[in-house]
Amino acid sequence: MKKIFFLLLFSLTLVSCKENKPKLLKYGAYENKIDALISKMTLEEKIGQTNLRGVSSRAKILPEDLKESVKNGNVGAFLNIMNLDYVDELQRLAIEESPNGIPLIFGRDVIHGFKTLFPIPLGLAATWDAQIVEKSSEIAAFEASAAGIRWTFAPMLDIARDSRWGRIAESPGEDTYLATILGEAYIKGFQGDDLSNPHRIAASAKHYIAYGAAIGGRDYNTVNLSEPLLRNVYLPPFKSAIDAGAATVMSSFNEINGIPATGNEFLLKDVLRGELQFDGFVVSDWDSVIEMIEHGFARDEKHAGELAAKAGLDMEMTSEAYENHLKELIKENKVTIEELNEFVRNILRIKFRLGLFENPYRNKKHTGNFYAEKHLKEAKKAAIESTVLLKNKNSILPISTKAKVAIIGPLANAPHEQLGTWAFDGEKEHTNTPLLAYKNANANFKFAKGLTHSRDISKKGFKKAIEIAKKSDVILFFGGEEAILSGEAHSRANIDLPGAQEELINELAKTGKPIVLVIMAGRPITITNIIEKTDAVLMAWHPGTMGGEALYEVLHGIKSPEGRLPVSWPKTAGQLPFFYNHKNTGRPADSTSFIPMEKIPIAAWQSSLGNDSHYLDAGFTPHFPFGFGLTYTSFNYSDMSISKNTIHFNEDLEVKVSIKNTGEKDGKELVQLYVQDLVGSITRPVKELKRFKHVFLKSGETKEISFKISSKDLEFVNHKIIKAAEEGTFNLWVGPNAAQGLKTSFILQK
Ligand code: BGC
């Protein structure tokens, strides 16, 4: 009975979520060549293609036995080979000395730039700008390909709803729609239109899937989620990357509902290949095949190899289950030769698309133009557009360039730290820090760190910092987190400013001078304790190589802060996970009935007191909502209209709204459109982002902005795994963030 139910559910899954897909995978021009090559390969060579061998990202020496393996055709790809002579030599061995001369692919984590570093991906997401994301990955590809790298382990498309999770820094934030737009842009930027262009690199959409849903934001942790949630929230960014041509996909470390992603046949075969029609190759994450033993899913290395192979994993990163056991597994008929051939086919297809058969070697004339003027210019632009202004009391910002400035804080001159996580190849000697930018601008400033690094608890430096603060017109406090406090395996339970930063800000506040807090960090930092001591707060993320100049220009109004939050900013870590597109619940939080902790009468009778789904001590709103960001001007939204009150399926609804720049400065607004499906066959989120548009307005200028949405935008996957829009009433908002906006409603009818 159970079996029948699953079979039914499974076939329904395939039928209903397929969405007019062609029956065959989108195999391209190389299939005959691939088959011809496979027919000549020995079993050992085939297994060799599935091996991704690597050295640590810091390794300088190439182990001798790796060369031997290449000669024998036992390696398909490498990661982290950064010595150019080794790259050349290994490729030569593969082409000239291995049995069938199959080229190697060299991979690397080129995540937000190679040498020229852009803001961390969460910062790039704060630009809400696909062009910037595309450009940054194009430049990353151009620089990295000069080092022989033709494959990056990016973009990370894991939706992240918990700022404790260290890898939120690498994520596109909490919203699925924004992540789908940016996911496509990353792929276009890395890969271009033609992967055989030697200045482009293959991308890897990672980590498939739901890695960001780890319990409590603890890295690598367990993920339990329903299939509708998986499909509605976590899958669309991967679909978008695959539709844009992502060459590879990386399976994630985590388990999903008890099955590790790396051994998950349903997700790798049925969804990724069957539904999303992915025709590149799937690589495991670092050792994630053998980690299935620790997960308690595989008995031993051989079993782990078998489970990964049966699930459809094509290439194994670093661990050696395939290398050590595939031959035996095939002999025992536990894995078939057809299955192995399919892995090899998928891998060779990407090698052909990369043009590696015609052009295997690194072009020695291609220098990558590391840190070229135009690369730095784009990095600076990205850093400017990623800064999010969170507070600006009495318009203290922008500051006059003539003001006497006290530059204080552990991140004011921290060239390594401002590059952020996954910055292996960017050299700190090239970092433009805020201090350097002030020096170069010949600005009127004094500098005292106050704290040597973000975790410093010593107060030794306070005195000097307070002295210079007293003599200044304004204090610029560059605080936040060092790069190592976010990223992989660097989750935090408390996300306040670490070390004695709050204490120093409190001391500085006693001088009575205005304080501008500039935060450089890999995640939102809870600032509830000290925000009242500040006059302005600017979130700069880890802004990359050009962060200093970018911040100088923003702080002094040469440029405006243009970023908007790609994640809700919590008041306290206790609110996490927090995301704007939550469900309503049966007792939604309500500001009119909410009784905060301090107002509860002593010895109160046990009742809900009117309290609903929220915290007594932290309420139910974030500190700053998703989509939020101030500018140096102000905007007014008015005259919203919709083309029809009722639309039919596949008919467009046009939404118009007037935006006026009511401030004295020119500025750019990010206009956001959200909808709410009031009643569904499964409950629906209170709001979902569906469109956004940047609009530049001169002071006093008004523009009419229009958006179009259709029933396609209202589709979701329900409990029967049917993807469809459902008839009914929808609320619609157009506004500056997820918590504000003009509201209307419309009906969707058959
Ligand atoms: C990370 C991946 C990364 C890989 C290779 C793993 O630990 O999870 O994101 O691409 O290492 O460096």
Side-chain angles (χ1 to χ4, degrees):
M1 182 62 195
K2 208 169 160 194
K3 202 165 170 193
I4 296 176
F5 171 75
F6 277 117
L7 273 175
L8 254 172
L9 191 69
F10 175 65
S11 43
L12 196 65
T13 304
L14 285 183
V15 174
S16 48
C17 282
K18 252 188 179 169
E19 290 186 322
N20 316 320
K21 287 285 181 198
K23 285 239 161 38
L24 287 171
L25 288 181
K26 44 194 178 184
Y27 293 153
Y30 302 108
E31 299 314 301
N32 293 341
K33 286 186 183 168
I34 292 170
D35 284 339
L37 194 49
I38 287 181
S39 70
K40 290 194 283 180
M41 290 167 77
T42 61
L43 180 59
E44 288 76 9
E45 274 178 276
K46 290 178 184 175
I47 295 172
Q49 283 306 303
T50 70
N51 291 338
L52 169 56
R53 287 287 152 263
V55 290
S56 138
S57 49
R58 278 185 292 181
K60 298 267 184 285
I61 304 290
L62 181 69
E64 273 303 306
D65 57 332
L66 281 181
K67 290 194 197 164
E68 219 30 55
S69 302
V70 172
K71 254 200 226 170
N72 297 333
N74 291 337
V75 181
F78 276 101
L79 79 159
N80 295 341
I81 306 290
M82 297 313 292
N83 178 320
L84 299 184
D85 295 334
Y86 294 158
V87 170
D88 298 342
E89 174 61 0
L90 288 169
Q91 194 66 298
R92 191 196 63 74
L93 288 171
I95 299 295
E96 292 180 13
E97 300 192 23
S98 79
N100 278 296
I102 300 174
L104 297 161
I105 311 183
F106 293 92
R108 176 80 162 165
D109 289 282
V110 181
I111 308 291
H112 53 110
F114 182 62
K115 295 284 181 184
T116 305
L117 285 165
F118 287 76
I120 52 166
L122 191 59
L124 285 174
T127 66
W128 293 54
D129 189 329
Q131 274 174 5
I132 286 187
V133 166
E134 185 177 333
K135 198 74 203 164
S136 73
S137 7
E138 184 188 332
I139 291 172
F142 186 83
E143 291 191 354
S145 55
I149 296 162
R150 294 301 309 284
W151 181 24
T152 177
F153 307 120
M156 174 169 137
L157 297 175
D158 299 309
I159 297 300
R161 296 170 149 192
D162 194 327
S163 297
R164 292 172 295 181
W165 189 45
R167 300 197 84 167
I168 196 171
E170 301 168 49
S171 82
E174 77 187 31
D175 184 69
T176 303
Y177 177 71
L178 179 59
T180 59
I181 303 284
L182 301 185
E184 182 186 353
Y186 274 114
I187 303 299
K188 280 192 191 159
F190 285 129
Q191 299 192 169
D193 299 331
D194 177 5
L195 210 47
S196 72
N197 176 340
H199 299 159
R200 299 291 187 157
I201 61 181
S204 191
K206 73 183 188 186
H207 306 83
Y208 186 78
I209 193 173
Y211 180 38
I215 290 178
R218 295 192 285 277
D219 209 357
Y220 315 122
N221 221 281
T222 309
V223 171
N224 279 311
L225 36 87
S226 69
E227 197 174 328
L229 187 60
L230 180 85
R231 289 177 176 280
N232 290 325
V233 173
Y234 295 90
L235 191 61
F238 285 91
K239 175 173 167 25
S240 153
I242 289 160
D243 288 348
T248 76
V249 165
M250 186 186 294
S251 71
S252 54
F253 285 124
N254 54 286
E255 65 159 74
I256 298 132
N257 303 334
I259 303 185
T262 299
N264 201 314
E265 188 173 350
F266 170 65
L267 292 171
L268 293 181
K269 278 193 183 156
D270 303 335
V271 179
L272 191 64
R273 299 282 179 194
E275 292 176 32
L276 302 190
Q277 298 282 293
F278 175 62
D279 70 358
F281 68 83
V282 183
V283 63
S284 72
D285 203 343
W286 187 288
D287 278 0
S288 70
V289 172
I290 55 163
E291 285 180 11
M292 290 198 285
I293 304 169
E294 289 289 354
H295 271 290
F297 189 64
R299 287 185 300 276
D300 51 26
E301 190 184 65
K302 183 176 169 190
H303 190 210
E306 179 186 342
L307 289 167
K310 292 317 269 185
L313 180 98
D314 303 300
M315 187 183 272
E316 182 180 4
M317 187 193 289
T318 58
S319 58
E320 299 177 3
Y322 279 7
E323 179 161 2
N324 297 337
H325 305 286
L326 262 189
K327 202 169 168 183
E328 205 182 332
L329 286 165
I330 289 172
K331 211 160 135 206
E332 291 167 6
N333 245 331
K334 290 188 173 142
V335 175
T336 66
I337 188 72
E338 286 73 29
E339 282 169 323
L340 175 60
N341 285 347
E342 194 55 29
F343 301 160
V344 178
R345 206 169 273 128
N346 294 333
I347 294 163
L348 293 180
R349 188 174 302 117
I350 297 307
K351 291 189 174 181
F352 274 108
R353 284 191 192 153
L354 278 165
L356 288 172
F357 283 89
E358 299 84 53
N359 211 356
Y361 294 110
R362 182 175 65 85
N363 174 359
K364 293 187 180 151
K365 287 195 192 125
H366 172 38
T367 61
N369 292 343
F370 301 154
Y371 309 109
E373 194 73 7
K374 60 178 182 188
H375 299 184
L376 296 177
K377 204 172 138 209
E378 292 295 337
K380 178 171 152 188
K381 184 172 176 223
I384 289 169
E385 297 204 14
S386 71
T387 55
V388 185
L389 183 60
L390 298 173
K391 174 178 177 181
N392 195 14
K393 191 169 136 199
N394 301 329
S395 299
I396 173 101
L397 291 179
I399 311 161
S400 153
T401 43
K402 299 206 181 78
K404 257 193 284 166
V405 172
I407 297 180
I408 298 172
L411 274 300
N413 191 33
H416 169 77
E417 310 306 343
Q418 81 176 51
L419 300 180
T421 188
W422 295 112
F424 290 150
D425 301 290
E427 294 120 327
K428 65 177 186 189
E429 295 69 27
H430 289 263
T431 305
N432 181 282
T433 65
L435 184 66
L436 183 62
Y438 275 81
K439 279 185 187 155
N440 290 345
N442 253 329
N444 187 359
F445 75 94
K446 289 268 180 308
F447 170 60
K449 256 187 179 176
L451 292 161
T452 57
H453 58 282
S454 75
R455 286 167 290 161
D456 188 4
I457 49 165
S458 157
K459 294 184 187 157
K460 270 197 227 145
F462 279 27
K463 194 164 165 249
K464 191 166 171 222
I466 294 163
E467 260 167 41
I468 67 157
K470 281 183 181 158
K471 293 184 194 138
S472 71
D473 298 328
V474 57
I475 300 165
L476 296 182
F477 187 93
F478 291 89
E481 286 179 334
E482 296 146 71
I484 197 65
L485 297 187
S486 60
E488 185 174 352
H490 291 97
S491 296
R492 294 180 61 202
N494 172 343
I495 55 169
D496 291 346
L497 286 170
Q501 295 184 69
E502 288 189 2
E503 280 174 270
L504 179 51
I505 292 170
N506 279 323
E507 291 305 317
L508 293 170
K510 291 181 189 159
T511 64
K513 303 289 179 178
I515 299 180
V516 176
L517 169 61
V518 180
I519 302 173
M520 291 190 191
R523 55 162 68 81
I525 295 291
T526 43
I527 47 175
T528 312
N529 297 338
I530 40 111
I531 191 158
E532 287 313 319
K533 300 286 165 70
T534 69
D535 294 81
V537 180
L538 187 65
M539 180 58 178
W541 317 99
H542 284 131
T545 308
M546 290 304 288
E549 265 183 36
L551 285 167
Y552 174 82
E553 293 190 7
V554 168
L555 290 165
H556 293 283
I558 300 159
K559 289 283 181 337
S560 305
E562 290 185 347
R564 300 291 189 276
L565 291 178
V567 279
S568 305
W569 190 290
K571 292 176 192 156
T572 162
Q575 286 180 301
L576 296 167
F578 197 103
F579 43 99
Y580 81 94
N581 45 359
H582 57 83
K583 301 290 187 73
N584 213 26
T585 80
R587 293 190 180 190
D590 176 357
S591 54
T592 56
S593 60
F594 173 55
I595 302 190
M597 194 146 99
E598 57 282 9
K599 297 227 168 110
I600 297 177
I602 304 297
W605 184 252
Q606 188 190 329
S607 85
S608 74
L609 293 169
N611 280 318
D612 297 302
S613 181
H614 52 237
Y615 296 105
L616 296 177
D617 48 356
F620 51 90
T621 51
H623 201 157
F624 302 104
F626 174 80
F628 179 80
L630 300 168
T631 63
Y632 289 157
T633 185
S634 50
F635 299 97
N636 184 52
Y637 288 62
S638 69
D639 303 319
M640 177 149 82
S641 65
I642 50 176
S643 53
K644 289 170 185 163
N645 291 326
T646 299
I647 56 162
H648 299 283
F649 282 72
N650 293 323
E651 206 176 25
D652 284 342
L653 177 78
E654 197 176 359
V655 184
K656 288 186 179 160
V657 66
S658 284
I659 320 282
K660 180 172 184 187
N661 181 342
T662 50
E664 278 157 26
K665 295 198 163 61
D666 301 346
K668 199 155 96 176
E669 174 66 326
L670 179 73
V671 186
Q672 302 159 41
L673 184 152
Y674 296 86
V675 299
Q676 177 190 20
D677 186 352
L678 285 174
V679 179
S681 56
I682 60 169
T683 58
R684 309 287 299 120
V686 293
K687 262 184 190 182
E688 287 178 292
L689 180 72
K690 293 294 174 189
R691 293 282 184 277
F692 59 85
K693 234 179 221 177
H694 282 108
V695 54
F696 179 82
L697 293 169
K698 289 200 169 336
S699 168
E701 191 184 2
T702 303
K703 274 187 193 160
E704 190 182 66
I705 300 297
S706 78
F707 295 102
K708 270 187 192 159
I709 58 166
S710 75
S711 59
K712 210 75 207 114
D713 298 298
L714 307 173
E715 288 179 352
F716 64 97
V717 176
N718 73 6
H719 59 303
K720 293 183 180 161
I721 319 302
I722 292 173
K723 187 173 184 196
E726 294 178 0
E727 287 187 298
T729 304
F730 292 77
N731 284 333
L732 183 152
W733 295 259
V734 177
N737 58 61
Q740 287 175 298
L742 301 176
K743 184 177 174 189
T744 183
S745 60
F746 67 95
I747 292 168
L748 175 69
Q749 217 171 57
K750 283 245 151 63

